[in-house]
Amino acid sequence: MIVAAVLGAGPTLYNNLAFLTTLAIYILLAQGVNIVYGFTGYLPFGFVGFFGAGIYGSSLAIVYWHVGGYTAIGLGALTSVVAAVVLSPLLRLSGAYFALATLAASQALYFIVANESWTFGESGMSLPLIFSPTALYVVAVVAVTVTLIVVFYVRDSHFGLSLRAIRSDAVSAAMAGVNVVRTRTIAWLVSAAIAGVAGALWALMTSAFYAETPFDLTISVYAIVFALFGGVRTVVGPVVGTVVLYSLYQYIGISNPQYFELIYGLLIVVLVLFLPGGLSSLVGGRGDRPAWWNRLVRHRAAPESAPEVAP
Amino acid sequence: MSEQTSLRASGLSTGYGALRVLWDVDLTVAQGRTTVLLGANGAGKSTLLKALIGLRPLWSGTLTYEDESIAGWSPERRIAAGMSYVSETGIFAGLSVEDNLRVVATGLRTATLRQRLERTYEQFPLLASRRRESAGALSGGQRKLLSLAKGLVRDPRLLLMDEPSAGLSPLAVGEMVDTLAQVVAQGGVTLLLAEQNARVLELADVVTIIGGGRVTFAGPVEEFRSTADVAEQFFGLARPAPSTGAPEET
């Protein structure tokens, strides 16, 4: 609710709709990563493949079938889900093998799209303007809101509990009566659908592009790092991570890309070393907080209570 | 005899890849009769339990549970049919104690779940006091209790438990045996315990010994105790080179 309100008020705070819409798209991607990585432990390095599938699913539907904007978004999500169904056998793999296999799959999709004439691989895609920037931003905010509700559900429901159990120990989860394959596949498809919606929004916003941009691996990396920076397995974490890091990118990354890469790299190191649970772990349950933070908070609290005890 | 058979395996063999671990194992678990599978490390006890619950495919042989052939069933289906399996390390370290118990309740109604949780906390007060804590923060003995409690949440009729005593101090083993005795006393669930600790024999009605992947003895515990030869053989008494205590990799 708060996030939706803040996003809704976004344009009055900072009037750059392209930036805000892209921010919303990255929030969607980070939440997609959150569901598949945070809750199931599968790191989808090729997550950008679902984004690209959503982009091309929606774009081709617009070009060939002249569908409306909402239908295009739906078809974008559907295309990603179909891709996820095709790739669902990859869930048999684990760890680095899974990450690399999804990466390979996303690159395979890229090469198909970039080389076929019916996907306008040579000439590049160009779409008619369907939504005004303001209307598109409103649609993006709605998509983010719906996604956050989905993540809320995943976090608090028995379904989410099953996912976390599978992440902890798949065999024991099966022994607890959890249908491991089905539960994991649903999470996989949901996260693909979210990436597909993000892709469709991006297509509607950008309207003219070549295949290199939608399938750029940096998008995967950003979505993963944004989610981790904010904290996976939470609802707000990936949102905060995306807002902080993407804003940083907006201010530094475009004018001085080399400094951004440097800061970005340092942030990743800091994250891994000191904040493995992400920003949200600082305010989470005591057991989730990093030890150094607990010490810091205790030290700061101590002087305030000291004078009361002294007299 | 009027007692009913809970689980029956005959001619069961299985293994890993090219490695055969069990040869023609016959095992009968009668309802209400606690069966202890004795065997040294590497004898094939854990593999047998895994084959019984469906984590290892059968290479040959038949397997029935409550007179139904379950050889082709998935583990989930066996669990839904009233079987339960507690592995040696069967907890979710990343979840809270309560969430560990709640996971097991997949498919149960909310009211039933609440009632089962209350019952579990009555039976295991220690878990009640630590319900919000991460299961990873529990001690070895507490983890064992939690894994047993998890195994009981769904009201199983047959509980397979792998090494209830593994990794526990002698004191904690005693407590685990007492807890299991309470579970038996409450009735309703038949226990099949894979063990190598003689303390657990206190619970046994029937003993089956596995050595080198084959059943070398099967009979009532009295027969096991009176067959001095078997007992000696198993516990390595009066033998120059005791073999049972040696920790080998399973």
Side-chain angles (χ1 to χ4, degrees), chain A residues 1-11 13 20 23-24 27-28 31 137 140-149 152 234-243:
Chain A
M1 276 298 128
I2 296 167
V3 172
V6 171
L7 281 174
L13 296 172
L20 289 172
L23 188 68
I27 289 174
L28 291 174
Q31 290 293 8
Y137 180 65
V141 170
V142 170
V144 168
T145 310
V146 172
T147 301
L148 291 181
I149 292 168
F152 253 117
T234 64
V235 176
V236 180
V239 178
V240 174
T242 307
V243 170

Side-chain angles (χ1 to χ4, degrees), chain B residues 2 28 34 51 55 58 66 74 76 85 97 111 120 125 134 136-137 140 142 160 167 190 203 215 219 243-244:
Chain B
S2 63
T28 303
T34 302
L55 288 174
L58 299 193
E66 295 180 347
S74 68
E76 289 92 344
Y85 168 72
V97 168
T120 306
S134 160
Q142 292 164 348
L160 318 181
T190 306
L203 299 163
V215 173
S243 59
T244 52

Side-chain angles (χ1 to χ4, degrees), chain B residues 86-177:
Chain B
V86 179
S87 71
E88 249 188 273
T89 53
I91 60 156
F92 304 110
L95 304 188
S96 71
V97 168
E98 179 143 320
D99 280 348
N100 262 273
L101 297 168
R102 282 178 55 221
V103 171
V104 190
T106 304
L108 293 187
R109 298 168 52 144
T110 319
T112 318
L113 168 63
R114 200 172 304 130
Q115 174 247 322
R116 295 280 171 83
L117 285 179
E118 272 169 30
R119 190 193 64 191
T120 306
Y121 289 140
E122 268 170 41
Q123 200 173 0
F124 303 93
L126 187 115
L127 298 181
S129 64
R130 311 196 63 172
R131 64 170 82 178
R132 303 258 168 266
E133 288 177 42
S134 160
L138 298 179
S139 73
Q142 292 164 348
R143 284 174 187 229
K144 277 282 179 202
L145 278 187
L146 176 58
S147 65
L148 174 62
K150 268 175 60 200
L152 292 170
V153 165
R154 295 180 75 93
D155 265 351
R157 293 191 296 281
L158 175 65
L159 178 80
L160 318 181
M161 188 167 182
D162 201 358
E163 302 249 17
S165 77
L168 299 188
S169 68
L171 189 69
V173 172
E175 285 170 3
M176 176 52 82
V177 169

